[in-house]
Amino acid sequence: MFPIERPRRLRQTEGLRALVRETRVAVEQLIYPVFVRPGQGLQEPISSMPGIYQWSVDTLCAHLEEVYALGVHAFLFFGIPSHKDAQGSEAYSPDGIVQRALQAVHERLPDATLIADLCLCEYTDHGHCGLLHGEIVDNDATIDVLARTAVVQARAGATVVAPSDMMDGRVGAIRRALDAAGFEQVPIMSYAAKYASGFYGPFREAAENTPTFGDRRAYQMDPANRQEALKEVLLDLEEGADMVIVKPAMPYLDVLSDVKKAVRVPVAAYQVSGEFAMIKAAGQLGWLEERRVIEESLVSIKRAGADMIITYFAPDMARWAQER
Ligand code: PBG
């Protein structure tokens, strides 16, 4: 008798396939990124991210109430300030746009997990992720400002702060500042392995944070480096990170898998704007089955080792889960 082993036996029916399925994407582990700007009644489309908008605080609250009701309970906040300057001062102003959004959403949805992206690039007039010294981003001056911003975000109601700047030593500085201000219970989810990626393209339109000169290669990681991701992750953990992020997701599944094996903390992957836009564009052209590819992309990220996934598809996934 040949063949003895017949793996197809377990693939015959959806019932069998569901029983032996190794990986599931849980809606409770999806994090939905949102963009908020000053104003009222706004819902500004982002042309390279169909279905994703810049909101004002009022419309954001209404939108997140709907998304929350679908089952997505964690949100990642990005702000577009009314005023940018060299220091990025709206990042840490108590009535800066993200702080106002955090307060308002926290009031409406007290059980939601509100994650504040912590970086200066949306707030600086030059678009870099820190303070400049000439044309160089000054590492140590920047981490002071980040630490200060973290405290302001925590005060405004952030459940978690998520530094995405890639400065050296920022996690330790943020931890010390939070503890000194009485926020020793606020976790840090660090973008530990964040690559200098072309896949952030559409985000530049969404968050209006394109650098006015140069690029981010002097602080974000080289896409060719795999070992170095572990170094970055281990450094952030030594400094006190509670969770780590690998970003982007699908082009870096090897990195994600390495990180998951190396650490004992929860690992998140960020399916970034360019990953979203590619699937959307091919779906709109009829070149890919959009829903199928979305589900496959997220299951792949999960299979590679992500506990949580930051994804613009979170509301879609929640809606489909409800339909089932
Ligand atoms: C920077 C930041 C970026 C993203 C999240 N935080 C852009 C960048 O580093 O240039 C990109 C997210 C995405 O593309 O979806 N604070």
Side-chain angles (χ1 to χ4, degrees):
M1 277 293 282
F2 178 83
I4 309 280
E5 292 283 343
R6 291 182 181 273
R8 289 185 55 190
R9 284 185 195 120
L10 300 183
R11 295 180 199 142
Q12 294 178 84
T13 65
E14 181 47 29
L16 278 170
R17 291 191 293 270
L19 273 176
V20 302
R21 189 158 293 139
E22 297 176 34
T23 309
R24 280 194 170 72
V25 177
V27 173
E28 308 93 272
Q29 292 186 302
L30 300 181
I31 299 167
Y32 178 46
V34 294
F35 302 98
V36 60
R37 66 181 310 153
Q40 261 228 315
L42 300 179
Q43 182 175 355
E44 300 289 324
I46 298 155
S47 61
S48 52
M49 299 181 74
I52 302 297
Y53 301 90
Q54 295 178 340
W55 307 92
S56 47
V57 173
D58 56 331
T59 53
L60 177 69
C61 285
H63 176 56
L64 292 187
E65 278 178 336
E66 276 175 32
V67 174
Y68 189 90
L70 289 172
V72 177
H73 295 173
F75 309 120
L76 175 63
F77 287 72
F78 294 99
I80 301 104
S82 52
H83 164 78
K84 302 190 189 222
D85 57 30
Q87 279 71 42
S89 56
E90 246 192 78
Y92 51 84
S93 150
D95 57 17
I97 183 62
V98 161
Q99 281 69 264
R100 284 195 280 125
L102 288 166
Q103 270 154 4
V105 175
H106 180 63
E107 247 167 58
R108 302 269 282 271
L109 297 169
D111 297 325
T113 298
L114 310 186
I115 307 172
D117 184 86
L118 178 45
C119 191
L120 298 184
C121 62
E122 296 118 68
Y123 304 93
T124 51
D125 52 12
H126 46 74
H128 278 287
C129 298
L131 305 186
L132 292 184
H133 186 77
E135 295 213 335
I136 310 274
V137 175
D138 181 338
N139 192 87
D140 299 10
T142 299
I143 63 180
D144 290 342
V145 179
L146 292 168
R148 178 172 171 186
T149 304
V151 172
V152 175
Q153 291 175 333
R155 208 168 271 141
T159 328
V160 175
V161 296
S164 65
D165 53 284
M166 291 301 278
M167 297 303 121
D168 295 329
R170 92 274 209 215
V171 171
I174 291 164
R175 185 71 273 158
R176 282 190 294 278
L178 287 172
D179 292 356
F183 294 112
E184 63 284 335
Q185 292 297 339
V186 172
I188 299 175
M189 181 186 222
S190 76
Y191 290 74
K194 177 175 179 179
Y195 287 86
S197 172
F199 287 96
Y200 307 149
F203 183 91
R204 303 279 158 91
E205 183 196 348
E208 301 180 11
N209 69 334
T210 311
T212 51
F213 67 89
D215 55 36
R216 305 202 197 293
R217 285 177 232 242
Y219 38 103
Q220 298 179 348
M221 287 178 58
D222 185 329
N225 293 358
R226 182 170 175 172
Q227 287 293 321
E228 195 191 355
L230 291 181
K231 175 176 179 170
E232 283 282 6
V233 164
L234 296 176
L235 277 172
D236 281 9
L237 292 180
E238 268 169 39
E239 291 176 31
D242 300 281
M243 302 176 265
V244 292
I245 305 175
V246 173
K247 176 187 176 184
M250 249 192 0
Y252 296 85
L253 294 183
D254 55 338
V255 174
L256 181 57
S257 166
D258 287 353
V259 169
K260 180 61 188 172
K261 282 188 218 130
V263 303
R264 298 291 173 267
V265 297
V267 176
Y270 197 146
Q271 184 181 50
V272 300
S273 57
E275 298 176 72
F276 171 87
M278 287 196 301
I279 294 175
K280 275 288 185 193
Q284 288 186 351
L285 286 165
W287 290 357
L288 288 175
E289 269 177 73
E290 185 177 309
R291 173 170 172 173
R292 188 169 168 192
V293 172
I294 292 169
E295 291 179 332
E296 185 176 336
S297 68
L298 292 168
V299 98
S300 306
I301 295 166
K302 201 76 210 243
R303 192 195 60 229
D307 300 295
M308 299 157 282
I309 306 175
I310 304 167
T311 174
Y312 302 96
F313 293 122
D316 292 329
M317 290 295 286
R319 219 169 282 120
W320 298 329
Q322 277 198 345
E323 283 165 21
R324 279 193 290 272

mmCIF file of all heavy atoms in Angstrom, residues 35 49 78 117-122 129 164-165 191 194 199-204 209 216 220 247 270-274 312, ligand 1:
data_model
loop_
_atom_site.group_PDB
_atom_site.id
_atom_site.type_symbol
_atom_site.label_atom_id
_atom_site.label_comp_id
_atom_site.label_asym_id
_atom_site.label_seq_id
_atom_site.Cartn_x
_atom_site.Cartn_y
_atom_site.Cartn_z
ATOM 1 N N PHE A 35 -5.775 58.160 13.195
ATOM 2 C CA PHE A 35 -5.153 59.479 12.976
ATOM 3 C C PHE A 35 -6.135 60.556 13.396
ATOM 4 O O PHE A 35 -7.278 60.558 12.943
ATOM 5 C CB PHE A 35 -4.812 59.647 11.491
ATOM 6 C CG PHE A 35 -3.893 58.568 10.979
ATOM 7 C CD1 PHE A 35 -4.387 57.466 10.287
ATOM 8 C CD2 PHE A 35 -2.527 58.634 11.231
ATOM 9 C CE1 PHE A 35 -3.537 56.460 9.840
ATOM 10 C CE2 PHE A 35 -1.676 57.632 10.789
ATOM 11 C CZ PHE A 35 -2.175 56.543 10.094
ATOM 12 N N MET A 49 -4.737 55.240 1.249
ATOM 13 C CA MET A 49 -5.231 54.264 2.222
ATOM 14 C C MET A 49 -6.763 54.267 2.220
ATOM 15 O O MET A 49 -7.398 54.797 3.142
ATOM 16 C CB MET A 49 -4.704 54.578 3.631
ATOM 17 C CG MET A 49 -3.193 54.537 3.734
ATOM 18 S SD MET A 49 -2.610 54.884 5.408
ATOM 19 C CE MET A 49 -3.023 53.339 6.235
ATOM 20 N N PHE A 78 -2.211 58.323 16.547
ATOM 21 C CA PHE A 78 -1.274 59.237 15.884
ATOM 22 C C PHE A 78 -1.938 60.595 15.753
ATOM 23 O O PHE A 78 -3.134 60.662 15.447
ATOM 24 C CB PHE A 78 -0.912 58.728 14.487
ATOM 25 C CG PHE A 78 -0.137 57.438 14.499
ATOM 26 C CD1 PHE A 78 -0.783 56.233 14.279
ATOM 27 C CD2 PHE A 78 1.227 57.441 14.729
ATOM 28 C CE1 PHE A 78 -0.068 55.034 14.301
ATOM 29 C CE2 PHE A 78 1.945 56.245 14.742
ATOM 30 C CZ PHE A 78 1.293 55.044 14.526
ATOM 31 N N ASP A 117 1.227 56.327 20.387
ATOM 32 C CA ASP A 117 2.488 56.297 19.645
ATOM 33 C C ASP A 117 3.324 57.471 20.153
ATOM 34 O O ASP A 117 2.836 58.577 20.323
ATOM 35 C CB ASP A 117 2.235 56.441 18.143
ATOM 36 C CG ASP A 117 3.515 56.318 17.343
ATOM 37 O OD1 ASP A 117 3.900 55.186 17.026
ATOM 38 O OD2 ASP A 117 4.143 57.364 17.046
ATOM 39 N N LEU A 118 4.586 57.176 20.420
ATOM 40 C CA LEU A 118 5.433 58.180 21.060
ATOM 41 C C LEU A 118 6.605 58.484 20.138
ATOM 42 O O LEU A 118 7.549 57.697 20.023
ATOM 43 C CB LEU A 118 5.904 57.604 22.403
ATOM 44 C CG LEU A 118 6.855 58.401 23.283
ATOM 45 C CD1 LEU A 118 6.469 59.847 23.403
ATOM 46 C CD2 LEU A 118 6.904 57.756 24.655
ATOM 47 N N CYS A 119 6.486 59.610 19.417
ATOM 48 C CA CYS A 119 7.531 60.004 18.465
ATOM 49 C C CYS A 119 7.338 61.473 18.147
ATOM 50 O O CYS A 119 6.264 62.013 18.359
ATOM 51 C CB CYS A 119 7.427 59.166 17.188
ATOM 52 S SG CYS A 119 8.861 59.372 16.107
ATOM 53 N N LEU A 120 8.373 62.105 17.605
ATOM 54 C CA LEU A 120 8.251 63.535 17.343
ATOM 55 C C LEU A 120 7.979 63.858 15.876
ATOM 56 O O LEU A 120 7.686 65.001 15.542
ATOM 57 C CB LEU A 120 9.529 64.261 17.802
ATOM 58 C CG LEU A 120 9.831 64.156 19.299
ATOM 59 C CD1 LEU A 120 11.059 64.987 19.648
ATOM 60 C CD2 LEU A 120 8.635 64.602 20.141
ATOM 61 N N CYS A 121 8.053 62.863 14.987
ATOM 62 C CA CYS A 121 8.048 63.205 13.554
ATOM 63 C C CYS A 121 6.766 63.885 13.077
ATOM 64 O O CYS A 121 6.799 64.666 12.143
ATOM 65 C CB CYS A 121 8.345 61.983 12.697
ATOM 66 S SG CYS A 121 7.134 60.675 12.870
ATOM 67 N N GLU A 122 5.636 63.615 13.724
ATOM 68 C CA GLU A 122 4.416 64.300 13.297
ATOM 69 C C GLU A 122 4.399 65.745 13.781
ATOM 70 O O GLU A 122 3.602 66.542 13.315
ATOM 71 C CB GLU A 122 3.164 63.593 13.845
ATOM 72 C CG GLU A 122 2.944 62.183 13.326
ATOM 73 C CD GLU A 122 2.989 61.165 14.466
ATOM 74 O OE1 GLU A 122 2.099 61.158 15.315
ATOM 75 O OE2 GLU A 122 3.976 60.392 14.492
ATOM 76 N N CYS A 129 12.392 62.405 13.521
ATOM 77 C CA CYS A 129 11.808 61.821 14.732
ATOM 78 C C CYS A 129 12.425 62.373 16.015
ATOM 79 O O CYS A 129 12.179 61.844 17.093
ATOM 80 C CB CYS A 129 11.940 60.308 14.688
ATOM 81 S SG CYS A 129 11.046 59.590 13.291
ATOM 82 N N SER A 164 8.307 55.012 19.030
ATOM 83 C CA SER A 164 8.579 54.537 17.666
ATOM 84 C C SER A 164 9.712 55.300 17.009
ATOM 85 O O SER A 164 9.893 55.245 15.801
ATOM 86 C CB SER A 164 7.320 54.658 16.807
ATOM 87 O OG SER A 164 6.942 55.994 16.642
ATOM 88 N N ASP A 165 10.513 55.974 17.794
ATOM 89 C CA ASP A 165 11.518 56.897 17.271
ATOM 90 C C ASP A 165 12.853 56.254 16.923
ATOM 91 O O ASP A 165 13.610 56.779 16.127
ATOM 92 C CB ASP A 165 11.782 57.933 18.356
ATOM 93 C CG ASP A 165 12.120 57.208 19.655
ATOM 94 O OD1 ASP A 165 11.183 56.676 20.299
ATOM 95 O OD2 ASP A 165 13.306 57.107 20.002
ATOM 96 N N TYR A 191 8.699 49.936 19.878
ATOM 97 C CA TYR A 191 9.007 49.548 18.508
ATOM 98 C C TYR A 191 10.502 49.224 18.559
ATOM 99 O O TYR A 191 11.350 50.101 18.381
ATOM 100 C CB TYR A 191 8.799 50.710 17.551
ATOM 101 C CG TYR A 191 7.383 51.165 17.290
ATOM 102 C CD1 TYR A 191 6.647 51.890 18.224
ATOM 103 C CD2 TYR A 191 6.786 50.918 16.045
ATOM 104 C CE1 TYR A 191 5.365 52.348 17.937
ATOM 105 C CE2 TYR A 191 5.507 51.381 15.747
ATOM 106 C CZ TYR A 191 4.803 52.093 16.693
ATOM 107 O OH TYR A 191 3.550 52.563 16.392
ATOM 108 N N LYS A 194 12.497 48.303 14.330
ATOM 109 C CA LYS A 194 11.782 49.113 13.343
ATOM 110 C C LYS A 194 12.735 49.448 12.213
ATOM 111 O O LYS A 194 13.777 50.068 12.430
ATOM 112 C CB LYS A 194 11.252 50.392 13.991
ATOM 113 C CG LYS A 194 10.560 51.312 12.996
ATOM 114 C CD LYS A 194 9.932 52.513 13.671
ATOM 115 C CE LYS A 194 9.286 53.413 12.636
ATOM 116 N NZ LYS A 194 8.647 54.590 13.240
ATOM 117 N N PHE A 199 7.834 50.762 2.913
ATOM 118 C CA PHE A 199 6.429 50.399 3.141
ATOM 119 C C PHE A 199 5.688 51.397 4.030
ATOM 120 O O PHE A 199 4.508 51.232 4.282
ATOM 121 C CB PHE A 199 6.331 48.992 3.745
ATOM 122 C CG PHE A 199 6.641 47.904 2.750
ATOM 123 C CD1 PHE A 199 7.915 47.354 2.677
ATOM 124 C CD2 PHE A 199 5.670 47.433 1.876
ATOM 125 C CE1 PHE A 199 8.215 46.350 1.758
ATOM 126 C CE2 PHE A 199 5.960 46.437 0.955
ATOM 127 C CZ PHE A 199 7.233 45.894 0.894
ATOM 128 N N TYR A 200 6.393 52.416 4.541
ATOM 129 C CA TYR A 200 5.691 53.455 5.310
ATOM 130 C C TYR A 200 5.140 54.557 4.400
ATOM 131 O O TYR A 200 4.579 55.531 4.896
ATOM 132 C CB TYR A 200 6.613 54.120 6.354
ATOM 133 C CG TYR A 200 7.332 53.171 7.287
ATOM 134 C CD1 TYR A 200 8.597 53.486 7.802
ATOM 135 C CD2 TYR A 200 6.758 51.968 7.671
ATOM 136 C CE1 TYR A 200 9.253 52.626 8.666
ATOM 137 C CE2 TYR A 200 7.427 51.095 8.526
ATOM 138 C CZ TYR A 200 8.674 51.428 9.011
ATOM 139 O OH TYR A 200 9.340 50.570 9.851
ATOM 140 N N GLY A 201 5.307 54.406 3.085
ATOM 141 C CA GLY A 201 4.919 55.471 2.141
ATOM 142 C C GLY A 201 3.558 56.101 2.412
ATOM 143 O O GLY A 201 3.464 57.313 2.648
ATOM 144 N N PRO A 202 2.475 55.313 2.396
ATOM 145 C CA PRO A 202 1.152 55.927 2.572
ATOM 146 C C PRO A 202 0.976 56.612 3.930
ATOM 147 O O PRO A 202 0.246 57.592 4.042
ATOM 148 C CB PRO A 202 0.190 54.735 2.439
ATOM 149 C CG PRO A 202 0.956 53.722 1.637
ATOM 150 C CD PRO A 202 2.380 53.887 2.062
ATOM 151 N N PHE A 203 1.677 56.129 4.956
ATOM 152 C CA PHE A 203 1.604 56.747 6.287
ATOM 153 C C PHE A 203 2.068 58.200 6.251
ATOM 154 O O PHE A 203 1.583 59.036 7.002
ATOM 155 C CB PHE A 203 2.469 55.954 7.263
ATOM 156 C CG PHE A 203 2.440 56.446 8.690
ATOM 157 C CD1 PHE A 203 1.522 55.934 9.591
ATOM 158 C CD2 PHE A 203 3.341 57.403 9.137
ATOM 159 C CE1 PHE A 203 1.504 56.371 10.915
ATOM 160 C CE2 PHE A 203 3.332 57.843 10.453
ATOM 161 C CZ PHE A 203 2.408 57.325 11.348
ATOM 162 N N ARG A 204 3.002 58.480 5.358
ATOM 163 C CA ARG A 204 3.512 59.857 5.278
ATOM 164 C C ARG A 204 2.390 60.806 4.886
ATOM 165 O O ARG A 204 2.361 61.957 5.313
ATOM 166 C CB ARG A 204 4.664 59.937 4.260
ATOM 167 C CG ARG A 204 5.821 58.995 4.575
ATOM 168 C CD ARG A 204 6.740 59.584 5.629
ATOM 169 N NE ARG A 204 7.510 58.557 6.306
ATOM 170 C CZ ARG A 204 8.719 58.129 5.934
ATOM 171 N NH1 ARG A 204 9.299 58.639 4.863
ATOM 172 N NH2 ARG A 204 9.336 57.193 6.631
ATOM 173 N N ASN A 209 4.094 63.482 7.934
ATOM 174 C CA ASN A 209 5.379 63.522 8.659
ATOM 175 C C ASN A 209 6.576 63.256 7.759
ATOM 176 O O ASN A 209 7.592 62.754 8.216
ATOM 177 C CB ASN A 209 5.354 62.485 9.786
ATOM 178 C CG ASN A 209 5.373 61.060 9.247
ATOM 179 O OD1 ASN A 209 4.944 60.808 8.121
ATOM 180 N ND2 ASN A 209 5.861 60.124 10.041
ATOM 181 N N ARG A 216 15.269 58.443 7.141
ATOM 182 C CA ARG A 216 15.391 58.002 8.533
ATOM 183 C C ARG A 216 16.447 56.905 8.733
ATOM 184 O O ARG A 216 16.462 56.233 9.739
ATOM 185 C CB ARG A 216 14.041 57.482 9.028
ATOM 186 C CG ARG A 216 12.890 58.460 8.870
ATOM 187 C CD ARG A 216 11.767 58.139 9.828
ATOM 188 N NE ARG A 216 10.503 58.751 9.496
ATOM 189 C CZ ARG A 216 10.230 60.054 9.529
ATOM 190 N NH1 ARG A 216 11.162 60.917 9.868
ATOM 191 N NH2 ARG A 216 9.031 60.494 9.218
ATOM 192 N N GLN A 220 16.529 54.483 11.980
ATOM 193 C CA GLN A 220 15.802 53.215 11.817
ATOM 194 C C GLN A 220 16.742 52.157 11.231
ATOM 195 O O GLN A 220 17.767 52.474 10.638
ATOM 196 C CB GLN A 220 14.584 53.430 10.907
ATOM 197 C CG GLN A 220 13.600 54.431 11.509
ATOM 198 C CD GLN A 220 12.402 54.698 10.627
ATOM 199 O OE1 GLN A 220 12.378 54.326 9.458
ATOM 200 N NE2 GLN A 220 11.403 55.369 11.182
ATOM 201 N N LYS A 247 8.446 45.774 13.006
ATOM 202 C CA LYS A 247 7.763 46.613 12.027
ATOM 203 C C LYS A 247 8.659 46.894 10.840
ATOM 204 O O LYS A 247 9.812 47.262 11.062
ATOM 205 C CB LYS A 247 7.385 47.927 12.713
ATOM 206 C CG LYS A 247 6.749 48.968 11.847
ATOM 207 C CD LYS A 247 6.594 50.237 12.630
ATOM 208 C CE LYS A 247 6.049 51.304 11.726
ATOM 209 N NZ LYS A 247 5.965 52.584 12.383
ATOM 210 N N TYR A 270 3.586 45.015 13.307
ATOM 211 C CA TYR A 270 2.838 46.135 12.717
ATOM 212 C C TYR A 270 2.722 45.909 11.215
ATOM 213 O O TYR A 270 3.711 45.998 10.492
ATOM 214 C CB TYR A 270 3.560 47.449 13.016
ATOM 215 C CG TYR A 270 2.750 48.723 12.829
ATOM 216 C CD1 TYR A 270 2.960 49.821 13.658
ATOM 217 C CD2 TYR A 270 1.779 48.847 11.837
ATOM 218 C CE1 TYR A 270 2.230 50.999 13.505
ATOM 219 C CE2 TYR A 270 1.050 50.008 11.682
ATOM 220 C CZ TYR A 270 1.282 51.083 12.511
ATOM 221 O OH TYR A 270 0.564 52.258 12.355
ATOM 222 N N GLN A 271 1.500 45.592 10.778
ATOM 223 C CA GLN A 271 1.225 45.510 9.339
ATOM 224 C C GLN A 271 1.015 46.947 8.869
ATOM 225 O O GLN A 271 -0.033 47.541 9.104
ATOM 226 C CB GLN A 271 -0.039 44.670 9.099
ATOM 227 C CG GLN A 271 -0.345 44.463 7.634
ATOM 228 C CD GLN A 271 -1.617 43.647 7.421
ATOM 229 O OE1 GLN A 271 -2.663 43.937 7.999
ATOM 230 N NE2 GLN A 271 -1.546 42.611 6.590
ATOM 231 N N VAL A 272 2.047 47.506 8.216
ATOM 232 C CA VAL A 272 2.093 48.964 8.039
ATOM 233 C C VAL A 272 1.276 49.431 6.836
ATOM 234 O O VAL A 272 0.729 48.624 6.067
ATOM 235 C CB VAL A 272 3.556 49.467 7.942
ATOM 236 C CG1 VAL A 272 4.321 49.120 9.210
ATOM 237 C CG2 VAL A 272 4.248 48.914 6.699
ATOM 238 N N SER A 273 1.276 50.757 6.672
ATOM 239 C CA SER A 273 0.433 51.387 5.658
ATOM 240 C C SER A 273 0.673 50.842 4.243
ATOM 241 O O SER A 273 -0.269 50.664 3.484
ATOM 242 C CB SER A 273 0.664 52.895 5.684
ATOM 243 O OG SER A 273 2.041 53.195 5.480
ATOM 244 N N GLY A 274 1.930 50.581 3.886
ATOM 245 C CA GLY A 274 2.220 50.095 2.543
ATOM 246 C C GLY A 274 1.721 48.667 2.325
ATOM 247 O O GLY A 274 1.283 48.309 1.223
ATOM 248 N N TYR A 312 -4.534 48.089 10.076
ATOM 249 C CA TYR A 312 -5.634 48.935 9.622
ATOM 250 C C TYR A 312 -6.843 48.079 9.232
ATOM 251 O O TYR A 312 -7.921 48.604 9.014
ATOM 252 C CB TYR A 312 -5.170 49.792 8.430
ATOM 253 C CG TYR A 312 -3.979 50.658 8.791
ATOM 254 C CD1 TYR A 312 -2.666 50.240 8.503
ATOM 255 C CD2 TYR A 312 -4.147 51.859 9.467
ATOM 256 C CE1 TYR A 312 -1.570 51.018 8.868
ATOM 257 C CE2 TYR A 312 -3.053 52.640 9.840
ATOM 258 C CZ TYR A 312 -1.769 52.213 9.534
ATOM 259 O OH TYR A 312 -0.683 52.969 9.915
HETATM 260 C C1 PBG B 1 6.890 57.256 13.090
HETATM 261 C C2 PBG B 1 6.001 56.183 12.587
HETATM 262 C C3 PBG B 1 5.889 55.775 11.269
HETATM 263 C C4 PBG B 1 4.942 54.751 11.256
HETATM 264 C C5 PBG B 1 4.480 54.584 12.553
HETATM 265 N N1 PBG B 1 5.169 55.484 13.357
HETATM 266 C C6 PBG B 1 6.509 56.284 10.047
HETATM 267 C C7 PBG B 1 7.961 56.401 9.927
HETATM 268 O O1 PBG B 1 8.733 55.876 10.724
HETATM 269 O O2 PBG B 1 8.362 57.059 8.972
HETATM 270 C C8 PBG B 1 4.515 54.013 10.035
HETATM 271 C C9 PBG B 1 3.279 53.216 10.153
HETATM 272 C C10 PBG B 1 2.711 52.790 8.857
HETATM 273 O O3 PBG B 1 3.329 52.917 7.784
HETATM 274 O O4 PBG B 1 1.577 52.289 8.887
HETATM 275 N N2 PBG B 1 6.535 57.739 14.306
#
